[in-house]
Every structure is written in C-alpha cells, then in structure tokens.
Amino acid sequence: MALIVQKFGGSSVANAEKIQNVCRIISRTYDAGNDVVVVLSAQGDTTDDLIEKAQEINPAASKREMDVLLSTGEQISIALAAMCLEKMGYPAVSLTGWQVGMQTSSDYSAARIRKVEGSRIRKELDKRRIVLVAGFQGINRYGDITTLGRGGSDTTAVALAVALKADLCQIYTDVDGVYTADPRIVPNARKLDEITYDEMLELASLGAQVLHNRSVELAKHYGVELEVLSSFSGNPGTIVKEVVKMEKTYISGVAQDKKIARIAVVGLENVPGVAYKLFSLLAKNKVNVDIILQSIGRGDTKDISFTVNEKDEELCMQVLQENQEALRFHEIYASNDVAKISIVGSGMVNNAGVAASMFEALYKSRINIHMISTSEIKISVLIDKGDSEKAMRAIHDQFFD
Ligand code: ADP
Ligand code: ASP
Ligand code: MG
C-alpha cells in the first residue's frame, strides 16, 4: 500500500463527464489498496471567468477580495468530485485549503506555502476515505484566504506530497507529459520520458505552463519525483527527477513567454552609479527585472532597456516617471509587443555553437532579435510577439529534426 497524491488540472474536470473520468482514475488507485489524496483545479475556464466577473464590478479590486473570489472555483470541483465518488460507492471527503491547514505567506494572489498542518487529512485517510483537496488556495496568519498564483494547484499537490510523505505525486493534465515544446504550437514536439528538476524548473519559469514553477522548486528541494501524465490517454507520462539516464540532445526544450513588457530608459547620464540607482529603485518597489541591455555610451548619455512581467509594467512606468528628476533620463518607453523565446538544456554547457545554432534558425526565418540573455543551461531572446510561434517552430526544428 502506498500514499499517492494525484492532481487533476482544469481541463481534466471541465464538465460532468470529465469529472466521472477523473473519479474512475481515482477509484482504480484506491481499489489497488492505496491511500489517495486528490488535488483539483477549478473547472475549465472558471478562474478566467471569475476574473472577468470581478473586472465588470471593479477593475481595481483588492487582491484580498480577488483571492476570496478565485478560491471558489476549486471548491466547486472538490465538492462535485466528492459527490461523484459517493455515487460510485466510494468514501470521499472534500476539504478546502483552510481545512487542511495549508498555511501561506500573506501575499494575496501570490502567496507562498509556509507549512501544511495535515492532521485532518491523516485522520480522514485513517478512515480509508479518499481526500479531495482544493488546489491553489491557502490561509494566511490573519485567517484570510490566499491563492498561490495562476497554475498554483500543482504546487498544492507537491506541498501535500511533502507534508504527507507520499510515495508518488502524479500531475494529470491534458497532454501526455512534458514535451520538447508546447505540443499545441509545435506539432512535431516530442514527449520526454524523463527530465531533470533543473531543466523543468527553467522551462516552467520561462513560460512552459505544464507545471507551476514553484511546484518544481518544491519537488527538487524535497526530492519528490513527479509524474506528469494525461487524464485522457492512459499513455506513460514524463518523470521529473534529479538525474536522468542519458543526455540525448544538447537541449531538452523550447519555451515562450508572451506575458512580458520591454521598458526602455533613454538618455541616462553616462556616469557610474546609474544602473545601481535605477534597479535599486525598482527592487524597492518589488518590480522584478529580467533581461537587461545597456547601450554603449554615446558622449554624455546611454540607454538601458529591460524586460518585466506584463503585470508589473504599469507600476514600473509609474515609479520611473515619478523619479525622472532623480534618475535624470530623457524619455521612457514601454512595449507589450514582445515575446521571450528560450531554449533549455544542461547539455549546452559543454557545447559551443548552441547559441549560434539558435540564432541561425531565427535568421533563416527572418526574425529579428532585440535582446539576448544566457546562462549555463538556457539561452533567451526577445523578439516581436507576432513572430513568437514561428520562432518556436523554427528553433525546435533546428535542434530536434
Ligand atoms: P492543467 O489545467 O492540467 O494544469 P495547463 O494548461 O496548466 O494544464 O498545462 C498544460 C498545457 O501546457 C498543455 O495543454 C500545453 O499546451 C502547455 N505546455 C506548454 N509547454 C509545454 C511543454 N513543454 N510540454 C507539455 N505541455 C506544454
Ligand atoms: N485555477 C487556478 C488557475 O487557473 C489554479 C490552477 O489551475 O492551478 O490558475
Ligand atoms: Mg496548470
């Protein structure tokens, strides 16, 4: 007998038929003699629909109230699935984040899990019940509901697997596993049998939404092996773990991120301390900066451009405008019309020419590069948003065909 945590994403529980399908998977796991803890996401587009509802009432709603609203989606799913299991003759109980003691930081809409109390779940498991837990939500020290950020149910699942010392954590979704690129954009993407935590963490952080990046961080930290697999196909999935058998290719995947903005600060003084002043100001205002490019100084001035998450664009522009006098720049511009395309792979460290190969693919597709950033296991480029899908396919073909 084992303790298994199974997480099912929004498309896996989108309607009654799909909930029945999910409950069949759960019941089979239970019938095999396992203890089963299930984490569910909100059905289909529920979270997006709730955000839209809020926008109609108050586009500037407080994050606290947004979390109260958004957490309801997951609560619907667990209740419906519990009802479905009841009907099938299985003992099941649904529990919210608050009921399972999912304690988080107080950052509404982006809370981090601090501790999982877990005793309630253990009690229910001792009674041989299937426990259905609402994903994506927790409770902070004020007793308020928090959410973990979009896609956060994966992180709920891994946190429960850690707290309950589960033997297995399965992330069920609408694709067969982790692919070399989003299979909806790159039709000839290949499914990976295995991927390392580090590569998966990069891919997830660079835009591959198949796993929430913090779930991978947590899994790596506690050594929880993850299995990503389909709720629908029954095919073997992808195992995410510390070491994989062999490195077949230099790179393991291509990812895109369209939710970014480029900010250009033009006409800064060409003297020491300018970058320090600029970026410490942004850090103080909790604006996370990603790729940075500084021009060669021309005479007395230089320009610095950088990218931020699109949700930080407004705040970033406001902070810069308010500090124009102190920072002494001429102008600032923001553009949403950009995308970041990245390749990831631990095999690229020892292989010169990977970057050149990526740039060649873009050149052959006549795609212009605005910015470049590299690390030991990734290379990212900033390009026009309209070129994003074309670039994904071209780069993927360059390395995998
Ligand atoms: P869920 O609702 O199950 O959490 P998500 O929509 O969050 O599912 O994640 C699954 C989706 O991630 C897939 O449908 C796919 O389009 C997308 N995706 C992006 N990059 C990848 C990748 N490298 N491998 C697999 N899927 C990916
Ligand atoms: N329902 C939330 C979202 O859509 C959390 C999740 O699905 O993981 O982002
Ligand atoms: Mg998801």
Side-chain angles (χ1 to χ4, degrees):
M1 197 188 78
L3 197 167
I4 301 180
V5 175
Q6 299 184 317
K7 178 260 174 180
F8 297 90
S11 42
S12 303
V13 293
N15 55 36
E17 213 174 75
K18 288 182 174 164
I19 289 182
Q20 284 160 2
N21 170 58
V22 159
C23 288
R24 276 193 293 273
I25 298 175
I26 298 167
S27 65
R28 279 200 293 272
T29 314
Y30 180 85
D31 284 341
N34 300 300
D35 282 339
V36 192
V37 175
V38 178
V39 174
L40 297 182
S41 290
Q43 292 185 280
D45 297 328
T46 301
T47 309
D48 291 326
D49 295 344
L50 289 170
I51 292 171
E52 225 169 86
K53 270 189 211 288
Q55 291 277 326
E56 281 169 21
I57 301 275
N58 177 3
S62 68
K63 289 183 174 173
R64 182 192 183 279
E65 299 311 327
M66 283 305 291
D67 281 1
V68 175
L69 180 68
L70 297 193
S71 63
T72 61
E74 272 65 18
Q75 198 168 326
I76 294 173
S77 299
I78 53 168
L80 292 176
M83 291 171 196
C84 183
L85 286 164
E86 264 174 17
K87 191 169 175 217
M88 291 165 65
Y90 286 86
V93 58
S94 63
L95 298 170
T96 63
W98 170 73
Q99 288 173 298
V100 302
M102 185 67 61
Q103 297 170 15
T104 72
S105 65
S106 10
D107 316 293
Y108 302 103
S109 88
R112 298 185 77 97
I113 297 171
R114 294 255 188 267
K115 193 180 158 202
V116 188
E117 214 272 305
S119 61
R120 175 72 193 268
I121 298 184
R122 280 191 208 95
K123 254 186 237 159
E124 300 292 350
L125 291 175
D126 288 344
K127 293 183 200 154
R128 270 300 279 160
R129 288 189 176 141
I130 296 168
V131 183
L132 300 146
V133 181
F136 171 63
Q137 58 180 258
I139 187 155
N140 68 15
R141 62 194 170 108
Y142 307 111
D144 282 346
I145 295 171
T146 54
T147 65
L148 310 178
R150 297 306 303 271
S153 296
D154 299 330
T155 301
T156 305
V158 177
L160 286 175
V162 171
L164 301 167
K165 302 194 169 58
D167 300 284
L168 184 61
C169 184
Q170 297 179 309
I171 308 289
Y172 283 89
T173 183
D174 57 0
V175 286
D176 275 345
V178 179
Y179 282 71
T180 49
D182 186 337
R184 293 181 206 291
I185 296 167
V186 182
N188 56 342
R190 293 183 209 158
K191 198 199 81 191
L192 300 163
D193 294 332
E194 303 179 318
I195 186 169
T196 64
Y197 292 124
D198 288 332
E199 289 172 315
M200 190 63 238
L201 187 56
E202 285 289 350
L203 278 178
S205 305
L206 293 166
Q209 97 222 37
V210 63
L211 282 176
H212 193 227
N213 64 348
R214 295 226 308 280
S215 72
V216 186
E217 219 170 67
L218 208 57
K220 177 180 160 70
H221 191 258
Y222 291 98
V224 178
E225 270 192 27
L226 298 180
E227 185 180 0
V228 181
L229 68 175
S230 164
S231 302
F232 307 109
S233 75
N235 294 333
T238 302
I239 305 288
V240 187
K241 56 187 197 171
E242 188 63 47
V243 186
V244 302
K245 276 182 226 113
M246 32 176 205
E247 278 163 19
K248 284 151 274 178
T249 46
Y250 304 138
I251 76 162
S252 56
V254 186
Q256 69 168 345
D257 187 353
K258 290 173 154 180
K259 294 184 177 157
I260 56 174
R262 175 177 49 170
I263 314 285
V265 187
V266 177
L268 287 155
E269 283 181 298
N270 192 15
V271 294
V274 169
Y276 161 66
K277 276 188 209 149
L278 175 63
F279 292 112
S280 56
L281 178 69
L282 294 177
K284 217 190 294 161
N285 286 277
K286 295 208 157 67
V287 175
N288 269 325
V289 172
D290 184 21
I291 307 179
I292 300 173
L293 188 78
Q294 176 172 309
S295 70
I296 295 175
R298 278 161 284 129
D300 298 337
T301 65
K302 63 186 172 192
D303 309 331
I304 295 181
S305 38
F306 54 90
T307 62
V308 295
N309 192 300
E310 71 177 5
K311 70 176 175 11
D312 288 337
E313 177 190 335
E314 228 182 274
L315 172 66
C316 180
M317 289 299 277
Q318 188 194 329
V319 168
L320 292 178
Q321 261 143 11
E322 283 168 5
N323 289 278
Q324 180 162 14
E325 255 175 55
L327 293 170
R328 296 163 164 265
F329 58 82
H330 293 161
E331 286 163 300
I332 45 174
Y333 306 98
S335 165
N336 271 313
D337 216 15
V338 290
K340 183 171 72 172
I341 309 289
S342 310
I343 58 174
V344 170
S346 46
M348 72 172 72
V349 185
N350 302 316
N351 286 284
V354 174
S357 207
M358 180 186 191
F359 304 154
E360 183 190 11
L362 293 169
Y363 162 65
K364 283 198 283 194
S365 297
R366 295 285 177 273
I367 294 169
N368 197 22
I369 301 172
H370 303 304
M371 290 183 177
I372 299 169
S373 138
T374 65
S375 81
E376 278 201 333
I377 71 164
K378 70 139 212 253
I379 301 168
S380 299
V381 295
L382 196 77
I383 59 172
D384 289 341
K385 200 178 251 173
D387 287 332
S388 191
E389 275 81 19
K390 189 165 82 168
M392 287 273 283
R393 288 189 278 265
I395 293 169
H396 188 274
D397 286 352
Q398 180 87 1
F399 289 98
F400 293 100
D401 262 8

